[in-house]
Amino acid sequence: MTTFLYDGSFDGLFTAIFEVFEYRYQDVEIRNRESFVQENMFAEIHEVITQQEKSERVLNKLEKSIGKSGINDLLKVYLSEDEKLEQLILSVVKQSVKFPEENVLKNFANDEILKIAKICKSVSRERHRMTAFVRFEKMQDDIYFAKIDPDFNVLPLIRKHFKDRYADQKWMIYDLRRHYGLFYDLENCDFFYPDEKLDLNQYQQKFHEEEKKYQTLWQSYFIKTNIKERKNTKLHIQHVPKRYWKYLTEKW
């Protein structure tokens, strides 16, 4: 077996897939270079250099078979960070080459396709919850800041939602688990990659005075409007799972 090592990027993955077909490899695995540990020193390694042109050629041809929605599904698989994501996506490409007139993502009798459908459902659910439960906090520099810790790497999937919804204010969303974020400056909405992890203690010291007052007021309001006799914890958790409470000011 030949191991293809790529840089972990979406374009890098599809560059690797292009080269699988370009060099007519049969027995291959594609691995993220960053997390790869070589166990067999005699194993054949193929180093992939990301080339957007090669990536786009695969994606454009694939889109003719599975459509834009299918490409979006593969993006969700990639963002799921599933340990088998490379092989799942490679399998879809191979099946699409074999059956170019079919949308292979509709073949739920195939175990890999069924797994992809389940992954997409989970990622979509997480995306929806991030748009619902993210809370912004006003900082001293008048930028609204939100921290998230999603199970999947959904930041690229919520980018448009927040850009459209909060187009009139500067904001940042930071992924605590993956240590990168989004910054919107009223014109551009770009990813940023800080050199150091976010220091939560230092971060809280930079709250705007208005934010501190708002949080105190909101917590007081929540306590006073909460009717103990109507408390239904089970139903509440169904709508707002506990792992999202850390985003909600009223739960602190």
Side-chain angles (χ1 to χ4, degrees):
M1 176 181 288
T2 302
T3 299
F4 278 52
L5 297 182
Y6 76 110
D7 62 4
S9 68
F10 192 65
D11 280 331
L13 172 56
F14 278 90
T15 300
I17 291 174
F18 179 95
E19 294 183 358
V20 168
F21 289 91
E22 181 181 22
Y23 301 121
R24 302 182 185 278
Y25 281 94
Q26 298 299 320
D27 189 18
V28 302
E29 65 171 354
I30 302 174
R31 302 282 297 275
N32 187 331
R33 186 181 295 108
E34 187 175 318
S35 59
F36 176 69
V37 178
Q38 187 169 353
E39 298 177 352
N40 181 0
M41 63 180 297
F42 299 107
E44 183 178 353
I45 301 296
H46 177 85
E47 291 284 350
V48 177
I49 299 175
T50 299
Q51 298 180 50
Q52 190 172 354
E53 181 183 355
K54 288 184 176 181
S55 173
E56 289 179 351
R57 285 179 62 180
V58 178
L59 288 167
N60 290 337
K61 187 169 184 179
L62 193 57
E63 187 179 318
K64 295 177 182 178
S65 175
I66 64 176
K68 290 184 177 180
S69 63
I71 298 297
N72 190 49
D73 283 346
L74 295 188
L75 175 60
K76 290 176 183 175
V77 174
Y78 167 75
L79 295 174
S80 74
E81 302 171 328
D82 186 275
E83 61 179 7
K84 299 290 186 181
L85 74 88
E86 291 91 356
Q87 298 310 116
L88 288 171
I89 294 175
L90 176 59
S91 175
V92 170
V93 178
K94 285 183 174 181
Q95 291 181 57
S96 295
V97 170
K98 189 175 182 180
F99 305 106
E101 303 303 320
E102 301 176 21
N103 184 343
V104 297
L105 290 176
K106 303 292 185 181
N107 180 21
F108 300 114
N110 182 288
D111 289 341
E112 291 178 317
I113 300 301
L114 184 60
K115 182 174 182 179
I116 285 173
K118 291 179 179 178
I119 288 174
C120 289
K121 184 176 181 179
S122 296
V123 173
S124 294
R125 185 185 299 116
E126 187 76 338
R127 174 200 173 277
H128 173 72
R129 285 176 170 167
M130 284 297 103
T131 60
F133 299 135
V134 164
R135 293 293 185 269
F136 286 98
E137 296 159 323
K138 190 175 183 180
M139 310 305 286
Q140 293 172 5
D141 57 5
D142 290 330
I143 293 176
Y144 288 86
F145 188 92
K147 54 189 183 299
I148 62 174
D149 184 23
D151 285 348
F152 309 110
N153 183 17
V154 296
L155 199 54
L157 300 178
I158 63 177
R159 177 182 184 177
K160 185 178 185 302
H161 169 85
F162 285 101
K163 183 177 184 295
D164 293 343
R165 186 170 182 178
Y166 300 106
D168 61 343
Q169 61 191 45
K170 295 181 180 180
W171 52 261
M172 299 172 71
I173 303 176
Y174 181 76
D175 188 325
L176 294 168
R177 187 176 306 190
R178 297 162 189 88
H179 313 301
Y180 82 110
L182 273 174
F183 174 55
Y184 174 68
D185 64 359
L186 300 181
E187 293 184 3
N188 302 306
C189 186
D190 297 317
F191 294 105
F192 66 91
Y193 304 86
D195 295 330
E196 298 180 358
K197 297 180 181 179
L198 177 68
D199 185 329
L200 292 178
N201 292 326
Q202 188 179 49
Y203 151 77
Q204 292 178 344
Q205 293 173 8
K206 295 182 179 180
F207 281 164
H208 195 287
E209 284 301 318
E210 290 180 6
E211 179 63 29
K212 297 175 184 178
K213 293 177 183 178
Y214 166 78
Q215 291 183 6
T216 301
L217 181 64
W218 179 245
Q219 289 164 357
S220 176
Y221 171 80
F222 184 78
I223 292 172
K224 290 181 179 180
T225 56
N226 186 29
I227 303 174
K228 293 182 179 179
E229 291 76 14
R230 295 185 179 180
K231 187 175 182 179
N232 187 334
T233 303
K234 184 177 180 180
L235 180 63
H236 181 61
I237 291 175
Q238 285 180 357
H239 290 285
V240 188
K242 278 189 174 182
R243 68 188 183 89
Y244 297 103
W245 289 9
K246 59 190 172 186
Y247 303 120
L248 308 180
T249 306
E250 61 270 22
K251 296 295 185 181
W252 296 351

